[in-house]
């Protein structure tokens, strides 16, 4: 895994912690975004912050399918994205 992808994944975990108010180390791969309290506004906030901090926009149609941190991390791996 490239350093850039790893950094984007770390940023994703940090953003989820910020939005949910939970500690970063309590958010694991199987954590569901809904369990973190992310509603549609939370997902929008997630998308905006991810783009701001990584410089890479995530298409809405891909982000809407994200259910867990693992899904989000997979989406952030450039080789696995359908760009």
């Amino acid at each position: 895994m490239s350093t850039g992808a790893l950094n984007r994944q770390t940023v994703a975990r940090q953003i989820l912690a910020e939005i949910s108010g939970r500690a970063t180390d309590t958010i694991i791969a199987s954590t569901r975004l809904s369990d973190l309290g992310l509603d549609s506004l939370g997902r929008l906030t997630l998308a905006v912050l991810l783009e701001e901090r990584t410089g890479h926009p995530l298409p809405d149609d891909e982000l809407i399918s994200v259910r867990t941190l693992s899904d989000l991390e997979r989406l952030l791996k450039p080789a696995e994205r359908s760009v």
Side-chain angles (χ1 to χ4, degrees):
M1 178 182 308
S2 74
T3 303
L6 181 60
N7 288 340
R8 285 191 295 271
Q9 290 173 326
T10 301
V11 167
R13 188 179 303 253
Q14 290 169 343
I15 292 170
L16 287 172
E18 288 173 29
I19 294 171
S20 68
R22 291 182 52 182
T24 306
D25 61 353
T26 66
I27 301 173
I28 59 172
S30 61
T31 301
R32 297 179 60 83
L33 274 63
S34 60
D35 292 340
L36 296 174
L38 266 72
D39 55 10
S40 57
L41 181 58
R43 284 177 172 267
L44 177 61
T45 302
L46 173 64
V48 169
L49 291 174
L50 277 170
E51 184 172 353
E52 284 178 359
R53 295 184 191 176
T54 66
H56 297 287
L58 297 175
D60 291 339
D61 61 328
E62 291 181 15
L63 190 58
I64 201 161
S65 67
V66 171
R67 301 286 180 243
T68 64
L69 173 60
S70 181
D71 294 341
L72 183 58
E73 289 176 337
R74 240 186 329 277
L75 185 60
L76 293 172
K77 290 180 186 176
E80 295 183 14
R81 288 192 54 212
S82 57
V83 184

